[in-house]
Each structure stands twice: as C-alpha cells, then as structure tokens.
Amino acid sequence: MEIEDVRNYDDLCKKVRDCYEEYDPDYETYLWIGSDGHGINGAPYHIRDILAEHDLIDSKLSGLLFALRFA
C-alpha cells in the first residue's frame, strides 16, 4: 500500500478506504501462482497459504480503516 499527497485526516481516511475497497485477495493470490499451480518468486508453495496471507492483508486494511474512522 502506498499513499501519497495526503492533505488532511479525511483525505487519509479516503485513501485507505480506496485501498481497502480495491484490494482483491483472490486476484493478488493469482498473481503469485506459477504455471505449475504453486507459489512463485518466494511465495509459499501451496495456494491456500498464499491466499491466507492475502486474506490477512485484507483484514489488516479493514482494521486500519475501522481504527481511522473511529479514532
């Protein structure tokens, strides 16, 4: 996640929300699966492990957004 040009707190919240809404764990997992059906470029060997990592990222983005909204 990269956020640039934040002007104020509301802008930060919007950019984090946009990152969360655009993040797709299934697609991100697909990007790390090789032609043999297993992880590539240092990703875990099993697809379920790659997906678990991306689900965790999705959860952390959700938690960050919640924390920003209710801080």
Side-chain angles (χ1 to χ4, degrees), residues 36-47:
D36 65 351
H38 298 287
I40 57 171
N41 297 328
Y45 182 78
H46 297 287
I47 294 170

Side-chain angles (χ1 to χ4, degrees), residues 12-49:
L12 174 64
C13 290
K14 181 188 178 314
K15 290 181 183 217
V16 170
R17 185 187 72 235
D18 290 347
C19 286
Y20 171 67
E21 289 175 352
E22 293 172 6
Y23 191 78
D24 181 354
D26 294 319
Y27 178 73
E28 295 296 330
T29 298
Y30 164 78
L31 295 176
W32 289 95
I33 298 172
S35 59
D36 65 351
H38 298 287
I40 57 171
N41 297 328
Y45 182 78
H46 297 287
I47 294 170
R48 69 177 165 266
D49 296 331

